């Protein structure tokens, strides 16, 4: 049969599976480890006003390293346990954290001395990340098998 295109079919989101959540937890762990490590690669950053300027765009303070490092650690634990409740909790907490971070810094961009496109580029990763994390929490869950935990059963 030929698929019909209607507003209902175009707006349908795929259901979230435990495997999808665990895969994203692994991806996010590796991604955040890369973000922290890449902030210290010689030639990828310069020092400006006591902070690192990564790729000539991102100001990286120790707080950024801590935030991204804690995100990596939390999602590593979540990926290892494989428990849906853990994945939902971490996705909710960090999804809203990065969403609010993006909102606050985009609003700050209205009054700082940077061009508007620098503020948008700086916060775009946080907007995308928060949208994905909150999608994992609030999208409909798929029915089916649960992800096996790497922890022994109790």
């Amino acid at each position: 049969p030929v698929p019909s295109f209607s507003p209902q079919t175009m707006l349908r989101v795929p259901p979230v599976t435990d495997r999808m959540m665990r895969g994203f937890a692994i991806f996010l762990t590796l991604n955040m480890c890369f973000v922290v490590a890449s902030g210290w690669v010689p030639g990828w950053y310069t020092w400006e006003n006591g902070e690192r300027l990564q790729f000539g765009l991102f100001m990286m303070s120790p707080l950024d390293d801590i935030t991204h490092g804690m995100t990596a650690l939390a999602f590593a634990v979540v990926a290892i346990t494989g428990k849906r409740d853990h994945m939902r909790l971490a996705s909710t907490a960090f999804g809203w954290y990065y969403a609010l971070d993006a909102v606050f810094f985009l609003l700050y961009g209205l009054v700082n001395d940077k061009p508007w496109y620098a503020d948008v580029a700086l916060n775009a990763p946080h907007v995308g990340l928060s949208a994905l994390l909150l999608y994992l929490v609030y999208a409909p869950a798929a029915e089916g098998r649960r992800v096996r935990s790497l922890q022994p059963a109790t």
Side-chain angles (χ1 to χ4, degrees):
V2 176
S4 63
F5 292 102
S6 69
Q8 291 80 18
T9 59
M10 290 174 53
L11 297 176
R12 188 176 307 151
V13 295
V16 175
T17 64
D18 289 356
R19 183 180 186 134
M20 180 190 297
M21 290 185 84
R22 190 176 207 176
F24 189 73
I26 293 167
F27 168 77
L28 191 57
T29 299
L30 297 174
N31 188 348
M32 290 296 158
C33 286
F34 173 77
V35 168
V36 173
S38 67
W40 294 98
V41 174
W44 288 9
Y45 70 92
T46 57
W47 287 98
E48 280 193 21
N49 302 325
E51 288 191 344
R52 287 172 290 137
L53 183 63
Q54 187 177 7
F55 304 123
L57 180 62
F58 304 107
M59 293 301 284
M60 302 295 283
S61 70
L63 180 60
D64 294 310
D65 289 339
I66 292 167
T67 300
H68 296 125
M70 289 302 298
T71 304
L73 181 62
F75 279 95
V77 169
V78 161
I80 290 168
T81 66
K83 297 190 182 199
R84 182 176 189 79
D85 291 342
H86 295 172
M87 290 186 269
R88 288 180 56 85
L89 176 63
S91 295
T92 301
F94 285 98
W96 283 112
Y97 172 81
Y98 283 107
L100 291 172
D101 180 75
V103 167
F104 296 149
F105 280 98
L106 284 169
L107 290 174
Y108 176 64
L110 297 174
V111 297
N112 69 13
D113 57 349
K114 292 182 186 177
W116 66 269
Y117 54 85
D119 289 306
V120 170
L122 180 64
N123 288 286
H126 290 180
V127 171
L129 176 62
S130 64
L132 224 76
L133 288 171
L134 295 173
Y135 166 79
L136 292 174
V137 175
Y138 296 110
E143 300 298 322
R145 284 185 3 189
R146 297 283 186 207
V147 172
R148 287 183 300 149
S149 173
L150 297 179
Q151 300 296 317
T154 55

